[in-house]
Amino acid sequence: MTSRSPSIAAAQASSLADVDTGFDLRAECTRLLFQGAQVPACLMLVIGVICVLLLRHHASPLELGVWWLSVTALALMRLHQARAVRRTPDAELAAPRWKTFFTFGSIAAALSLAYAILRLVPPDDFSVQVMSYGLIGSVVLIASIAYAVNLRAFFFFAVPCLLPAGLGLVTSPYPLQHGWGELTLVLLGTLSIVAWQINRLIGSNLVQRQQNAGLIQVLQRARADAEGLNTELAHEVQQRRRAEQELRDAYEGLEQRVVERTAELARAACDLSQSETRLNLALEASGLGLWDWNLAEGSVHHSRMAIRFGVGEPENSHPLRPEVHPDDLLPVRQALIDHLKGRTDVYVAEYRARTPDGPWLWIEDRGQAIERDEQGRVRRMIGTRRDITATRQQIEQQRLAATVFEAAREGIVILDDQYRVLAINEACCTLSGFTRDELLGRRVTRLFASEATRARYGEMREMLERDGSWQGEQLELRKNGETYPQWLQMRVVHDEAGRIANIVGFLTDLTIRRQVEERLRYLTHYDELTGLANRSLLKERLDEACQRVRRSGRNLAVLHLDLDRFKTLNESLGHEIADELLKEIARRISQVLPDADTLARLSGDEFVVLLEAYGSLSGLVHLGTRLLKRIRQPVIVDGHELVVSASIGATLMPDNAREAIVLLRQADTAMQHAKHLGGNTLQFFTDRLQLASVETLQLENQLRKALDEDQLEVFYQPRMRLADDYIDAAEALVRWRHPHQGLIAPGHFIPLAEETGLIIPLGETVLRKACAQARRWQQDGTGEIRVSVNLSAKQLRQGNLVTLVRQVLDDTGLPARLLELELTESQLLDDVENAITTCRQLRELGVSLAIDDFGTGYSSLSYLKRFPVDYVKIDRAFVAELDQCGEDAAIVRAIIAMAHSLELKVVAEGVETEPQRDFLRAQGCDEIQGYLLSPPVEAVRFVQLLR
């Protein structure tokens, strides 16, 4: 199965937390409260009049009139507040006073209804009670559902209305009112559960809406930032181009002047003083240093290098050996050698040199040999040196700007003031389909190929010249005639005089964005894996179907389908195969139910089908049977032949309910009942299922409370060694001492604990109590009693069982040899390798291990010999009929012989008679356990039994 990672949703919610989305969650909740209160208010007006007419012979006119006036005033005030809320802005609506108004109005309305129930309705007229309580109950039901948007508002209405009324009726001296009081209290509890579910769903919806608003705000802000960056980039490119041109012009002019001065110096030695003066002036202006290298004497004369290059005073003689960067040393040396050997006319080298204060500078050396000997060897060289660090940095920045210009994903075009193309990047060529040669120097209208764009070209130019910018979305044409949605932004760049120098345009292809938007719209309503409607669309369609059914009087069937044992298949074969199976099941449902009004996938392996005007009930049963049969047909996925079944729960409207959320809950309850019956069946919702579901929920809550309040006790059933009739072990069995129902057997709550996951803390509680008790017996001299504790499959799969056992032994101080852990065959064979590893780690702690209920599972000898266990416990089903059935006796003998051959000890459970004990003793059974010795008893009675 595929699902969205919870960690990604949390990251998105966190990134939107600081964004002002314009969506006030508190204001929206308040608005929903007041809008939902209009129907109950109108209903109060109508029912107030009916109750006055109905009760006019049973209550005093003054009391009845005052009550009617108060009810009418409260209803009109609530309607007036609802109209005022529509015109109130969110900022004001989020203020606490609105919820305060609502709360006081709810309490007043609730007390007025409770007053009518307790004071106005006659206590001895059943027919009037039915009409009056029915009308008031309808107001309470509708108002409670409407107020469920805010649990505080719900409880401030429901509790003042129903709790005093229920208690007053229950304690009334009139027996006829006792049943009404109990019904009122049941209604209060049911409405509380319904209100909690509605509040959770509405709250999730409002949070999702707030997150969506925040995402839109972030996208808009990102787009504005991108526009600003694009504008800055265009301005920066223009400035760098101008700087580069100016630098190039200055450099070329300066270089020309330096060459001319150097040549004049060589040709006119007699005019050295005047040339040197002019050269110094040039050097002053250019920042150049001058060096004169006498190779014959090995000396260098230099000037104007003291400040920048850290060499001595002007005209000072010093060997000029700058520290050249290792990467540049070889190129500099090669350039110098080439010039000295006459291969080049001018010596030119650019390299990095370290200054005395540490940083590296880019240096340019230019020089020429001006004197050679008879053999052609250079005797003297003159040249210049300058710092080109800033120039290299500018070149690097220009290169980076050009790289950014070319690498930009958006198309960028730069125009002159006549709207001719000066430069374009590769993205623009790709976007338009034209080459650079086809666009450079041409009018920008060549890029605007669509008729709509050309028609408003004049408007675009007018807005650019007036406002300095233009942007908009348009449907544009590529060179090959293909159309695509385009977002165009154009901005004007002015020169120093304020005149238009350039226009920069940014072109963005919106095709992918439109596809993403379309995809998001699709995923909002449809399941990505199966293509069926998702939960959101199902809720919307179910609400619409319920409204149509209520208007037309037709019927509606809701089918909730869940695959049987799909989790096991998913864990064993992997998500990919499970996803392919789900797609095939969705296809089969669509084939069997082509006329279904809605097919939806809720989550995982759950599907929902809506059938309007389904015809007869027998036809619906036939349709469900066909669907189950089609699903049961084998599926070939990646070489695996899979056969799966499904459980279907169905509910009907209006027979069972009239509200969408109630229908879904009823269908789910019926589906769960179908699963409890073994799966591969269709079950319809009944009131009995609803009652059982409520009882299960109550039992689960009570069991959680029992764990918190330490209501669970551990009983101990002794185990006796047959060799010497000595009791040295006991099995720890949990019992629930309920404060109202007394002692509850484990068969009533252990299955529920397994289903809800409460078996994990329950098992730890039993383990701790049993170990602590065995340690007390050891310390007070009772004896070293080995306690045997049953483990659940969930505890074995949890992964920290060994750590838990080690910690419990350390906390209680019980030696590991006095603890025995029992596991069933099915638990061991569920995950063989993991079970073997866990059992070996427990054995290394010194804990004994036993296989419980042996003989009822696979009883595989090949597996049994791999598990490091100490005991095999024969199931009570074989021991119970040892006296009547020869087959059971043979099985018991075989189990004992097989266990002894593997050097394991055998414990027989359920021994209740002496002939059973004698038979087991004769067959060499090691220990027995059962009612023949004692039923499970408290620790105190177990000690008495030992004595």
Side-chain angles (χ1 to χ4, degrees):
M1 295 183 298
T2 59
S3 62
R4 181 179 180 187
S5 185
S7 63
I8 297 174
Q12 291 176 345
S14 176
S15 64
L16 297 178
D18 299 329
V19 178
D20 184 9
T21 63
F23 183 89
D24 195 319
L25 194 61
R26 292 177 297 177
E28 188 66 17
C29 290
T30 305
R31 183 174 286 107
L32 289 176
L33 274 175
F34 279 100
Q35 289 178 353
Q38 296 181 80
V39 174
C42 294
L43 193 59
M44 282 183 64
L45 290 174
V46 176
I47 291 178
V49 175
I50 297 175
C51 286
V52 168
L53 297 176
L54 186 66
L55 302 174
R56 66 183 185 273
H57 300 301
H58 303 280
S60 67
L62 177 58
E63 186 179 18
L64 195 58
V66 171
W67 177 82
W68 177 80
L69 287 175
S70 63
V71 169
T72 303
L74 289 172
L76 293 176
M77 180 185 68
R78 183 53 51 85
L79 292 173
H80 174 71
Q81 291 175 343
R83 286 194 298 272
V85 164
R86 297 192 191 100
R87 301 187 299 270
T88 303
D90 286 354
E92 182 179 349
L93 194 59
R97 61 188 183 86
W98 286 99
K99 285 191 177 179
T100 303
F101 292 159
F102 192 91
T103 300
F104 283 116
S106 300
I107 294 174
L111 293 177
S112 65
L113 294 177
Y115 181 80
I117 294 173
L118 295 174
R119 296 286 302 171
L120 301 180
V121 178
D124 53 356
D125 193 333
F126 181 74
S127 61
V128 174
Q129 289 177 354
V130 169
M131 291 296 294
S132 301
Y133 292 157
L135 291 172
I136 295 173
S138 65
V139 174
V140 173
L141 179 61
I142 293 174
S144 297
I145 293 176
Y147 297 169
V149 174
N150 185 281
L151 290 179
R152 175 184 174 186
F154 164 77
F155 283 113
F156 272 120
F157 174 78
V159 173
C161 178
L162 296 179
L163 185 60
L167 296 177
L169 293 175
V170 168
T171 58
S172 173
Y174 296 94
L176 188 59
Q177 289 187 325
H178 293 172
W180 292 110
E182 295 172 355
L183 182 61
T184 301
L185 296 177
V186 171
L187 178 61
L188 175 59
T190 303
L191 287 177
S192 299
I193 297 173
V194 172
W196 172 78
Q197 184 69 6
I198 293 174
N199 178 265
R200 185 176 65 86
L201 294 175
I202 292 177
S204 300
N205 183 268
L206 290 176
V207 170
Q208 185 65 35
R209 286 176 55 192
Q210 186 182 29
Q211 292 178 351
N212 291 340
L215 180 59
I216 293 172
Q217 188 75 9
V218 169
L219 292 176
Q220 291 175 347
R221 184 175 299 174
R223 184 180 67 184
D225 293 342
E227 293 174 0
L229 289 175
N230 290 334
T231 302
E232 293 177 4
L233 177 62
H235 182 68
E236 183 70 17
V237 168
Q238 187 64 26
Q239 286 184 338
R240 290 177 179 175
R241 284 176 179 263
R242 287 200 300 270
E244 181 182 9
Q245 186 62 39
E246 293 172 358
L247 183 62
R248 188 181 294 112
D249 294 342
Y251 173 75
E252 291 176 355
L254 180 60
E255 186 179 42
Q256 183 63 31
R257 289 195 297 272
V258 171
V259 171
E260 293 173 354
R261 297 300 184 271
T262 304
E264 292 176 1
L265 182 62
R267 289 192 302 267
C270 62
D271 200 11
L272 179 60
S273 178
Q274 182 179 2
S275 298
E276 185 177 356
T277 302
R278 289 196 297 268
L279 180 58
N280 286 333
L281 292 175
L283 294 177
E284 286 282 351
S286 63
L288 291 173
L290 182 65
W291 52 267
D292 185 351
W293 185 14
N294 191 326
L295 280 73
E297 299 178 359
S299 61
V300 179
H301 295 271
H302 45 77
S303 62
R304 299 197 52 78
M305 293 189 184
I307 298 176
R308 190 58 178 162
F309 304 111
V311 185
E313 295 300 324
E315 303 303 329
N316 186 26
S317 177
H318 190 278
L320 187 59
R321 297 175 182 268
E323 182 182 352
V324 180
H325 195 280
D327 295 341
D328 301 330
L329 189 59
L330 289 178
V332 171
R333 181 178 299 170
Q334 187 61 44
L336 182 59
I337 292 173
D338 289 344
H339 183 67
L340 292 176
K341 291 185 177 183
R343 298 170 187 168
T344 59
D345 296 333
V346 180
Y347 161 67
V348 180
E350 292 184 1
Y351 56 90
R352 285 161 290 179
R354 188 191 299 274
T355 61
D357 54 356
W360 293 93
L361 300 178
W362 274 100
I363 305 299
E364 181 194 57
D365 272 357
R366 300 181 68 88
Q368 189 175 17
I370 62 172
E371 185 179 343
R372 294 180 182 267
D373 59 14
E374 293 79 3
Q375 288 78 28
R377 291 191 294 270
V378 177
R379 295 177 56 86
R380 185 180 179 188
M381 283 185 65
I382 294 178
T384 61
R385 178 171 296 166
R386 64 170 180 157
D387 181 3
I388 60 170
T389 303
T391 304
R392 291 296 295 250
Q393 290 175 348
Q394 289 180 353
I395 294 173
E396 182 65 20
Q397 290 175 354
Q398 291 169 1
R399 186 186 65 80
L400 290 176
T403 302
V404 172
F405 179 77
E406 284 297 331
R409 299 181 63 181
E410 289 184 320
I412 304 176
V413 56
I414 301 177
L415 312 175
D416 61 12
D417 58 347
Q418 299 301 317
Y419 291 84
R420 288 186 294 267
V421 178
L422 294 178
I424 57 173
N425 65 349
E426 187 63 28
C428 186
C429 296
T430 304
L431 194 63
S432 64
F434 292 99
T435 64
R436 293 180 189 268
D437 295 337
E438 291 175 325
L439 293 175
L440 290 176
R442 303 294 184 90
R443 291 277 183 179
V444 73
T445 52
R446 190 175 184 87
L447 281 172
F448 301 154
S450 67
E451 294 295 334
T453 307
R454 292 184 176 182
R456 58 179 178 178
Y457 175 66
E459 177 187 346
M460 293 165 54
R461 290 194 57 168
E462 180 181 350
M463 185 175 295
L464 278 170
E465 294 170 1
R466 185 183 69 246
D467 302 333
S469 65
W470 182 92
Q471 62 180 0
E473 182 179 344
Q474 53 197 11
L475 193 63
E476 196 52 80
L477 290 174
R478 306 188 199 275
K479 180 182 177 181
N480 59 7
E482 178 187 354
T483 61
Y484 69 99
Q486 179 193 90
W487 180 260
L488 175 62
Q489 297 174 276
M490 301 185 73
R491 290 187 179 274
V492 172
V493 179
H494 296 89
D495 57 16
E496 292 80 356
R499 296 184 297 269
I500 295 178
N502 297 98
I503 298 95
V504 181
F506 301 92
L507 296 77
T508 304
D509 188 354
L510 300 180
T511 303
I512 296 179
R513 183 181 300 178
R514 294 290 175 266
Q515 293 173 351
V516 170
E517 291 174 353
E518 184 63 28
R519 181 66 174 168
L520 288 176
R521 282 194 293 269
Y522 174 82
L523 294 178
T524 302
H525 295 95
Y526 292 93
D527 175 51
E528 184 176 11
L529 178 65
T530 62
L532 302 180
N534 61 12
R535 184 184 295 272
S536 175
L537 184 57
L538 169 67
K539 184 178 182 301
E540 179 181 330
R541 290 186 177 177
L542 182 56
D543 289 336
E544 294 172 355
C546 291
Q547 293 177 8
R548 288 194 296 270
V549 170
R550 284 192 286 267
R551 288 195 303 266
S552 63
R554 298 187 300 175
N555 49 23
L556 170 68
V558 179
L559 277 64
H560 192 153
L561 183 148
D562 186 90
L563 300 182
D564 298 328
R565 292 171 293 280
F566 179 77
K567 181 179 179 182
T568 302
L569 184 147
N570 188 22
E571 293 175 349
S572 58
L573 298 182
H575 297 318
E576 291 78 9
I577 294 179
D579 288 346
E580 292 299 323
L581 175 62
L582 289 174
K583 288 192 285 188
E584 175 61 21
I585 295 300
R587 187 180 66 82
R588 292 183 177 185
I589 296 175
S590 302
Q591 290 176 346
V592 176
L593 305 173
D595 299 328
D597 297 279
T598 297
L599 299 177
R601 179 188 177 213
L602 288 185
S603 62
D605 58 334
E606 296 184 63
F607 300 86
V608 172
V609 181
L610 304 184
L611 295 171
E612 292 189 52
Y614 55 82
S616 65
L617 189 61
S618 59
L620 188 60
V621 173
H622 177 68
L623 195 62
T625 304
R626 282 180 51 210
L627 181 58
L628 290 173
K629 183 178 180 182
R630 182 73 177 93
I631 293 175
R632 282 279 298 174
Q633 294 179 0
V635 181
I636 305 298
V637 180
D638 194 21
H640 299 275
E641 182 176 355
L642 308 176
V643 178
V644 296
S645 61
S647 300
I648 303 178
T651 187
L652 309 176
M653 177 181 180
D655 296 354
N656 296 328
R658 300 180 64 87
E659 298 297 330
I661 188 172
V662 179
L663 289 170
L664 285 176
R665 186 166 61 250
Q666 291 177 347
D668 179 71
T669 301
M671 181 271 293
Q672 295 294 339
H673 181 61
K675 278 190 171 294
H676 286 306
L677 294 179
N680 193 33
T681 183
L682 169 66
Q683 292 293 315
F684 286 88
F685 176 80
T686 62
D687 293 337
R688 181 179 59 82
L689 292 180
Q690 179 69 27
L691 181 60
S693 177
V694 173
E695 291 177 351
T696 301
L697 181 61
Q698 292 176 347
L699 183 60
E700 178 184 351
N701 292 333
Q702 292 174 1
L703 183 55
R704 293 181 186 276
K705 184 178 180 181
L707 287 169
D708 294 337
E709 298 182 358
D710 196 23
Q711 298 177 8
L712 299 178
E713 298 181 5
V714 178
F715 281 37
Y716 300 90
Q717 187 173 32
R719 282 168 44 180
M720 185 178 72
R721 293 199 307 254
L722 290 177
D724 53 6
D725 291 343
Y726 184 74
I727 295 176
D728 66 344
E731 181 175 1
L733 300 169
V734 66
R735 296 294 186 268
W736 180 5
R737 193 172 297 280
H738 196 281
H740 304 297
Q741 303 178 21
L743 201 62
I744 300 179
H748 289 84
F749 62 89
I750 291 297
L752 178 62
E754 290 278 1
E755 181 180 352
T756 58
L758 293 176
I759 194 67
I760 300 297
L762 188 149
E764 181 178 350
T765 298
V766 174
L767 179 63
R768 286 188 177 277
K769 289 190 174 184
C771 291
Q773 183 61 60
R775 177 59 174 164
R776 285 194 293 270
W777 286 335
Q778 184 188 33
Q779 291 177 330
D780 62 16
T782 301
E784 293 194 344
I785 306 299
R786 186 178 71 257
V787 290
S788 177
V789 180
N790 292 280
L791 293 179
S792 165
K794 291 185 182 295
Q795 291 177 284
L796 190 62
R797 289 195 297 263
Q798 194 178 15
N800 65 340
L801 178 61
V802 178
T803 303
L804 174 63
V805 172
R806 182 187 292 109
Q807 180 181 355
V808 170
L809 291 175
D810 292 341
D811 293 345
T812 59
L814 181 70
R817 58 185 171 81
L818 296 183
L819 175 62
E820 178 182 316
L821 299 177
E822 296 186 14
L823 303 100
T824 63
E825 286 184 88
S826 59
Q827 293 171 359
L828 295 174
L829 298 180
D830 184 41
D831 187 354
V832 175
E833 298 304 326
N834 179 56
I836 292 175
T837 302
T838 304
C839 290
R840 286 176 177 171
Q841 293 174 348
L842 292 172
R843 282 292 301 274
E844 291 174 359
L845 292 178
V847 175
S848 302
L849 299 174
I851 298 180
D852 195 13
D853 299 337
F854 189 80
T856 59
Y858 294 101
S859 302
S860 172
L861 183 60
S862 62
Y863 281 123
L864 181 61
K865 67 181 182 180
R866 295 181 60 191
F867 292 111
V869 297
D870 302 280
Y871 294 89
V872 171
K873 302 187 73 173
I874 304 175
D875 188 74
R876 66 183 67 250
F878 301 107
V879 178
E881 299 182 3
L882 280 177
D883 300 333
Q884 298 118 11
C885 181
E887 295 179 355
D888 286 343
I891 292 174
V892 171
R893 280 194 295 267
I895 293 175
I896 294 174
M898 179 181 66
H900 285 169
S901 68
L902 294 175
E903 298 182 355
L904 302 178
K905 294 182 179 180
V906 182
V907 181
E909 295 182 301
V911 178
E912 299 181 355
T913 64
E914 293 184 358
Q916 293 173 351
R917 179 195 59 189
D918 297 339
F919 175 83
L920 293 168
R921 191 194 303 271
Q923 299 302 322
C925 182
D926 298 285
E927 298 181 18
I928 63 171
Q929 173 184 345
Y931 277 43
L932 178 63
L933 301 178
S934 170
V937 294
E938 299 94 329
V940 176
R941 294 183 57 191
F942 182 82
V943 173
Q944 295 174 354
L945 180 65
L946 291 178
R947 293 172 178 171

